[in-house]
Amino acid sequence: MNKGMTSVHGRGRTVSKLRKSHNARPPRSRQRTGSVCDSDIDVNLRIISYDDTVRKLDHYYGIVKRQLLQNQSITLGLFPLSSQEKEVADIRTTIYCAASIWSLFQAYRRIDDDRGKAYELGQSCVKCMRGILNCWMRQTENVENFKKGQNPKYALHSKFHLKTGKEVVSSDDYGHLQIDVVSLFLLFLVQMITSGLQIIYTMDEVTFVQNLVYYVERAYRTPDFGMWERGSKYNNGTPELHASSIGMAKAALEAINGCNLFGEKGASWSVIFVDIDAHNRNRSIFETLLPRESSSKNVDASLMCTISFPAFATHDQMLYSKTRSQVISSLEGKYGFKRFHRDGYGTVLEDKRRRFYHSAETKEFEKIECQWPLFYLYMILEGMFKNNEEQVEEYKNKLKPLVKRDKWGDPVIPMYYFVHKDNVEDEQAEPGSQYRQSSPEGTPKNLFLWGQSIWIIASLLMDNLLHINELDLIRRHLPSYNRPRKGGRYSAFQDTSKNHKGTASDLVVQVVLIAESMRLQAMMATYGIQTQTPHEVEPVQIWPPKELVKVYQNLGVSEKLGLGGRPTRPIGALGTSKIYRVCGQTVLCYPLVFEVSDFYLSHDMALLIDDIKTELHFVGKYWRLSGRPTVCILIREEHMRDVHFRELLDLLAMLKSGYCDGLKIRTGRLQNLIASSCIEHLDFMNAMDIDLDITPFEQLQHASIGYQSLTDVPTAITYSEDSMSFKDMGLQPTPEVLSVLRSVSTLHGQTQLLGILLRREGRNFQVDGVSVQDRVCALLRQASSLRYWAGVRECNALLSKEVESISPYITTILVSGKQLTAGYGKDEILLDKPVQPAEIHDLFYTPALQAHNVVQAVLQQEVVLYCGKLIATHTQLFNGILNIRIGWVIKAMTYYLHDVCHGKESIESLAPNEVRRLVVKVLSIDEWAHKERLTPQQIRVIDGCLGRTPKRFYEKVFHILSKSTEGVRLCDQLLPQHPTISEMSSGELNFALTVQSLLNRIQHPEYRQIVVELFSVIATILERNPELKFLHELNLDQIVKEAFKMFLKDLGREYTEDMSSFYNASQVAVTSYLARAIVNFMLTGDVRSEIEEGLTFCKVS
């Protein structure tokens, strides 16, 4: 339901026309002259028969009065879920009722004399939306707390008392966290304000709505309870990341960006701002999740409200079609759509007295899920927006026999249809064969108001009383490049490509090259690279991105409401590609990649060069605003000393040519590029009396312009030293450690000894008058200037430093259907839901991980960052990997470096760019293993470390488990048949994760791959011999051991515990021994067959 936010564009032409006609007529007729639609509405919308139209509209007015307004709260204007409910208001239902009333208000505006009906409908709608605002504004403390950590207990409530607006149920007793509800409110708020309704009255309300934007901005990493209010499919109180919620949030952010909440008469300070990078993360993760709804729900009817009316959250035709067809093929029935598979809501088998289900209870609801006619209405709406008359007609006919009538003859939409208890077994045996009964909700005496609202909207469209452009004023249903141009001072989600194809291929990314000093500028000029210094771009200022964060912290601040403005989140690549006007100044921010951070990655030039290219392509691919993006490339003097500086020169020369790996680039003077840039006016600052403490990027001053060429620049030396372990010193008393520290000159040695002191005595312990922490910081600076990476990493780890903005990358991995594990062995920490930035430290700086190897704390963060970036751009590298175990990925890299390449270096001593290349190398093993002649054992070790499995692997394991009565045992861990297969389905992500956790108990990667091969062999045998079943426990370790014994016997060798020879055998050989071992296992009597002699002739090959 919270399905889609609309875009704030599309008001330009339309509203200016309205203004003229408003001014030309007396006040009484102002509101009904001309619709807010473009003047070129389809010809078939012309009013052919005025009287007929009035009669039809009055007919719907009567229905709205009887069915909706009759049930509107007299105090707050809220609506209940069903008409018999007199205490509890449901916010989602309230929004849809408001949308329905508003759609009739829009229809009435076409006629000249509506006898006051349009005004009445409009005001009912305003009252309703303000009622929601009223309830939520009582919970400002929740909003402020939620912004800080997205904790469900601080969620805005989705249910209130119908008359008083007070809370009726706590967050402990109900899943209030439904991001889609807040998003839906924002979406229709924009649509209604665009139509001319005045809903927002005061600046306090504007401030609160700005904070609602912050509330939904992080939908991409906020597991919620979704449209169905229950979270995961298992209904056990667990929230999940829902594609429907994230898609709604994405649409809402597009809709409200740049919207003036006071309407056309509003001032600059009543405009809403959206973080374009937060929007892009929601877009990215929404599109990654589709066509899946969540981890437990492969498909869900709620996605129809997200990809179609009202959200229209994706215009990617392939994704749209795939999601739509999956919903229809999996969920459509004769009485409507199921919400999702194994949905127990409304079924006769569901125990209404319990809030949550028991484990495996969802299996009982399979094939008897209730069917909701509501979604036939959504299919009709989709057909209307797509101008697909056949689809409209098809679903009209399907809906007709399901609709009931009240005493006035008005249609009544049942909430759902369920299978009677006497027919449950027959329906499960033959789905679709039994007659279904309608629900108690959705009868003439107890109306299902959400259903009635959608029916009214659909009917107005079908009767040609309303045009889709009047229902969707901001043109959410059109791709951004087809929406009417929106004028004004604020950025809008509109593609400005001249050929209107809306692809990124024709976008030009503007690049400004800023040199840190005049001597650097002069030196660059000798190589034909024209740059500007900060002085030369004046009066434009160059800001670090953190300074812009300070400005945005003032957006949405209200002491009176207890709201603290924008959370201190960094500004991303898209945000730093706008030019800002702040308090009379023009500002360009350089991207985060040029920020010299506390973390060591910013010191690696080769990594920086890769990041610049990635940044430019990212901006080029995902830019959706009017105006061109302008990227500031900052060149510092310290870059000149780097061994990779010539590569940076090559990159800059390539940018000068106008292309960067296929992306169109335009370099030039900043003053010349401003006119075509995207400019954001931060006018909210004008209304504030605040002294901002801003430090612009300063130009370095030198007495003379030296360095005429690179040959004059002192280059960084390649530093190396013998590594000596001082681990034993951890057992010595502190004076002894201090004594050794004073005599050690190597960086690595000093770092180890300072680490011992830091852990034992604390950061402030004095060594020769200097604290341990300061000594480590000094060492870090020295190691950084020498590019001595082992020392750099160790110092970073001792100082407990963290990678900036790693949380979004963790989220990207998780929503790609993967899990992430940090740490080693039994102390691994599993990440199956997004983490907050504040939780990052405890994830990586665990005592176990630091005891294992202190450098691992930073190295694992580094690898997480690379995996997060790679999975977004090179998804195929992670095929077959479900759980990215960072410690094991590093083991695979170490194995490749030492055992395959016979290198002597440790991973931690490599430059960050080399570590990233190594990550890519091991992940892409399939592409080069044969060429580099890896042995079968080497391939098994690397694949085993990565946890890679073949296609359809988990479906095969599910099939094996369904044939194993007593379950499957591996490493003394039993995977039981029940409740595993009764609670989960074969294609479900949660089942795959359960199998993965079983495999993760194996400590030897080669053995793990042998077990994966064994599963495949057993599955093949069972597929070819469907009559077979295992009567006893299927013990995989026993079968592998038996296969190994046969292997040794055929080689004429004695039994040994060392299985290396078996690991190094070809896959064909291993498969044949495993197959023989399985047959032997069966022949011991642990199998049952419907055909007695079936065992003897078991088909293996």
Side-chain angles (χ1 to χ4, degrees), residues 13-32:
R13 238 171 26 195
T14 307
V15 178
S16 62
K17 285 189 179 176
L18 255 191
R19 208 184 294 127
K20 287 177 191 171
S21 53
H22 280 0
N23 294 337
R25 292 179 179 251
R28 165 86 180 149
S29 59
R30 251 182 216 171
Q31 239 171 327
R32 29 187 97 51

Side-chain angles (χ1 to χ4, degrees), residues 820-839:
L820 188 65
T821 309
Y824 270 119
K826 293 178 182 175
D827 299 306
E828 281 185 321
I829 298 174
L830 179 69
L831 296 182
D832 52 5
K833 61 178 185 290
V835 293
Q836 304 301 332
E839 300 167 346

Side-chain angles (χ1 to χ4, degrees), residues 120-191:
E120 179 198 355
L121 293 166
Q123 293 310 108
S124 300
C125 186
V126 169
K127 180 173 184 175
C128 180
M129 296 296 279
R130 289 191 56 75
I132 297 170
L133 195 66
N134 184 318
C135 291
W136 280 346
M137 285 186 75
R138 300 178 193 186
Q139 299 188 322
T140 51
E141 191 179 341
N142 278 15
V143 174
E144 187 60 25
N145 287 325
F146 188 84
K147 277 159 45 182
K148 294 170 185 169
Q150 290 79 52
N151 188 324
K153 74 176 180 181
Y154 297 124
L156 283 170
H157 283 208
S158 299
K159 294 188 184 293
F160 291 93
H161 193 279
L162 197 56
K163 296 192 175 108
T164 65
K166 290 183 178 175
E167 297 176 6
V168 289
V169 57
S170 73
S171 291
D172 294 330
D173 300 321
Y174 173 75
H176 283 294
L177 180 49
Q178 297 161 36
I179 297 285
D180 67 306
V181 171
V182 182
S183 304
L184 193 68
F185 173 79
L186 295 175
L187 181 58
F188 278 113
L189 180 69
V190 176
Q191 296 276 26

Side-chain angles (χ1 to χ4, degrees), residues 19 54 88 129 135 140 213 220 307 411 437 526 585 617 626 638 823 920 944 968 1027 1093:
R19 208 184 294 127
V54 172
V88 180
M129 296 296 279
C135 291
T140 51
V213 169
Y220 66 90
I307 63 172
Q437 293 179 260
T526 64
Q585 295 176 327
H617 279 276
S626 48
E638 67 175 59
V920 174
V968 175
E1027 71 280 1
E1093 59 275 12

Side-chain angles (χ1 to χ4, degrees), residues 349-386:
L349 300 183
E350 185 183 58
D351 185 348
K352 308 287 190 293
R353 295 165 300 178
R354 277 188 287 119
R355 180 184 170 195
F356 298 132
Y357 293 161
H358 296 313
S359 173
E361 190 176 350
T362 54
K363 174 74 174 171
E364 297 174 18
F365 311 127
E366 192 165 13
K367 299 177 181 172
I368 61 159
E369 301 95 336
C370 294
Q371 295 180 10
W372 294 54
L374 170 70
F375 289 98
Y376 282 170
L377 288 164
Y378 275 107
M379 295 307 293
I380 290 171
L381 284 171
E382 187 207 33
M384 293 301 297
F385 276 99
K386 294 284 183 188

Side-chain angles (χ1 to χ4, degrees), residues 1030-1055:
F1030 295 103
L1031 290 177
H1032 301 298
E1033 228 175 56
L1034 181 58
N1035 192 317
L1036 302 179
D1037 296 313
Q1038 185 183 328
I1039 294 172
V1040 173
K1041 191 174 182 180
E1042 181 67 24
F1044 179 49
K1045 281 181 181 175
M1046 287 190 278
F1047 173 76
L1048 290 177
K1049 186 178 178 184
D1050 285 358
L1051 291 178
R1053 296 183 191 170
E1054 291 294 316
Y1055 180 75

Side-chain angles (χ1 to χ4, degrees), residues 74-289:
I74 55 172
T75 50
L76 292 166
L78 305 179
F79 288 87
L81 181 67
S82 58
S83 58
Q84 280 185 357
E85 174 59 64
K86 302 301 179 190
E87 297 287 324
V88 180
D90 180 75
I91 300 299
R92 184 182 284 105
T93 301
T94 297
I95 296 167
Y96 275 113
C97 287
S100 176
I101 297 164
W102 173 72
S103 64
L104 184 57
F105 160 77
Q106 284 288 86
Y108 262 114
R109 296 176 74 177
R110 289 197 191 165
I111 63 175
D112 189 48
D113 183 17
D114 57 36
R115 302 181 300 286
K117 291 182 180 129
Y119 183 79
E120 179 198 355
L121 293 166
Q123 293 310 108
S124 300
C125 186
V126 169
K127 180 173 184 175
C128 180
M129 296 296 279
R130 289 191 56 75
I132 297 170
L133 195 66
N134 184 318
C135 291
W136 280 346
M137 285 186 75
R138 300 178 193 186
Q139 299 188 322
T140 51
E141 191 179 341
N142 278 15
V143 174
E144 187 60 25
N145 287 325
F146 188 84
K147 277 159 45 182
K148 294 170 185 169
Q150 290 79 52
N151 188 324
K153 74 176 180 181
Y154 297 124
L156 283 170
H157 283 208
S158 299
K159 294 188 184 293
F160 291 93
H161 193 279
L162 197 56
K163 296 192 175 108
T164 65
K166 290 183 178 175
E167 297 176 6
V168 289
V169 57
S170 73
S171 291
D172 294 330
D173 300 321
Y174 173 75
H176 283 294
L177 180 49
Q178 297 161 36
I179 297 285
D180 67 306
V181 171
V182 182
S183 304
L184 193 68
F185 173 79
L186 295 175
L187 181 58
F188 278 113
L189 180 69
V190 176
Q191 296 276 26
M192 291 170 186
I193 289 172
T194 305
S195 74
L197 291 181
Q198 281 196 292
I199 296 172
I200 304 298
Y201 294 171
T202 67
M203 274 310 298
D204 287 333
E205 291 170 5
V206 172
T207 299
F208 183 74
V209 172
Q210 179 66 60
N211 278 270
L212 289 185
V213 169
Y214 299 145
Y215 184 95
V216 301
E217 268 183 350
R218 288 203 156 176
Y220 66 90
R221 53 187 278 178
T222 308
D224 72 343
F225 293 97
M227 185 187 283
W228 309 127
E229 307 169 2
R230 289 182 166 188
S232 89
K233 176 172 82 176
Y234 312 120
N235 187 24
N236 55 10
T238 309
E240 288 187 315
L241 277 179
H242 288 93
S244 55
S245 293
I246 297 170
M248 272 295 185
K250 173 207 179 252
L253 295 174
E254 288 175 4
I256 205 160
N257 183 46
C259 176
N260 196 318
L261 296 185
F262 289 167
E264 287 302 305
K265 297 176 183 175
S268 59
W269 47 82
S270 52
V271 170
I272 296 297
F273 292 84
V274 166
D275 178 353
I276 180 180
D277 291 282
H279 163 268
N280 185 63
R281 287 189 191 117
N282 280 297
R283 179 210 53 76
S284 162
I285 284 165
F286 172 59
E287 292 178 353
T288 303
L289 273 170

Side-chain angles (χ1 to χ4, degrees), residues 2-7 184 187-188 191 244 247-248 250-252 254-255 279 286-287 290 303-316 320 378 381-386 461 468-469 471-480 483:
N2 320 359
K3 253 32 291 72
M5 325 261 219
T6 47
S7 157
L184 193 68
L187 181 58
F188 278 113
Q191 296 276 26
S244 55
M248 272 295 185
K250 173 207 179 252
E254 288 175 4
H279 163 268
F286 172 59
E287 292 178 353
L290 289 182
L303 288 170
M304 280 313 298
C305 317
T306 313
I307 63 172
S308 185
F309 177 83
F312 304 100
T314 183
H315 292 286
D316 180 321
Y320 179 92
Y378 275 107
L381 284 171
E382 187 207 33
M384 293 301 297
F385 276 99
K386 294 284 183 188
L461 287 172
I468 55 172
N469 286 350
L471 178 60
D472 178 21
L473 291 175
I474 56 181
R475 309 295 192 270
R476 290 286 318 146
H477 66 285
L478 297 176
S480 59
R483 293 174 192 152

